[in-house]
Amino acid sequence: MNRVHKNLSRRARVATGGAVLAVVALAGFGAVSANASAPATTSAAATSAAAPGRVTTTSTHLTVEAATKAAQAALDAAGKENQRVTVAVVDRNGNTIVTLRGDGAGPQSYESAERKAFTAVAWNAPTSQLAERLEQAPNLKDIPGTLFLAGGVPVTAGKAPIAGIGVAGAPSGALDEKFAQAGANAIIR
């Protein structure tokens, strides 16, 4: 091999090396392309299975439009009373749909509003009522993502919770909850 290497010019060695790399790259690409384009017929392939209707459930969720309308109504209600708050609306699963941070709302109000909304939808009750339950079950407050302070209300459809609205930043939880209820009222009319 050394004899062949010595007999080739530098240009020939570079060209030969480049050609070898190109062949290897194309071979690898062809193998990947072949695997990606056609499923293997001899190996066990994963397939989807159709689930019968009796093993699934359907849930109702608040639309983005309705969530935005509720958040804006709550923010407007707070503004009429010169309160600087943040409003959060979460879906049935506690995922945030929309959060509106009002002008001048404190930095802590953002997370507090989301946690109040989550708590309200998770227990399908206003957070002021849930805060009272802490006397009988003080370790409820240890559940991650919850905040047992007044200011969150659930939104229901057929008695089932579909969303939660949380407000934080007013000087009292009673005011926060009043504004959250104004948001809920805006979408149930």
Side-chain angles (χ1 to χ4, degrees):
M1 174 97 173
N2 281 338
R3 206 178 303 162
V4 173
H5 184 70
K6 288 181 183 177
N7 291 337
L8 293 175
S9 68
R10 181 167 191 225
R11 184 177 292 175
R13 286 192 312 259
V14 170
T16 304
V20 169
L21 286 174
V23 169
V24 170
L26 286 174
F29 177 75
V32 170
S33 295
N35 288 337
S37 64
T41 56
T42 58
S43 66
T47 60
S48 63
R54 64 186 178 277
V55 299
T56 62
T57 184
T58 303
S59 61
T60 303
H61 292 268
L62 199 60
T63 65
V64 171
E65 181 181 354
T68 303
K69 180 179 179 181
Q72 189 62 57
L75 196 61
D76 291 345
K80 288 178 185 174
E81 296 192 29
N82 296 317
Q83 298 301 315
R84 297 177 178 139
V85 300
T86 297
V87 181
V89 181
V90 301
D91 68 11
R92 172 63 187 109
N93 301 320
N95 299 311
T96 303
I97 302 171
V98 64
T99 303
L100 297 178
R101 184 175 179 271
D103 294 336
Q108 76 288 354
S109 65
Y110 193 92
E111 183 179 351
S112 296
E114 286 182 334
R115 290 175 60 190
K116 287 179 183 184
F118 172 78
T119 305
V121 75
W123 274 272
N124 194 23
T127 53
S128 59
Q129 290 176 11
L130 296 170
E132 294 170 6
R133 293 184 196 174
L134 285 178
E135 293 175 18
Q136 290 80 28
N139 50 344
L140 277 179
K141 69 183 179 330
D142 298 333
I143 297 172
T146 59
L147 185 60
F148 291 90
L149 296 175
V153 297
V155 177
T156 60
K159 297 185 182 179
I162 61 167
I165 301 172
V167 176
S172 75
L175 280 174
D176 285 340
E177 200 158 302
K178 174 182 173 183
F179 304 143
Q181 190 60 56
N185 291 346
I187 55 176
I188 58 175
R189 290 181 193 167

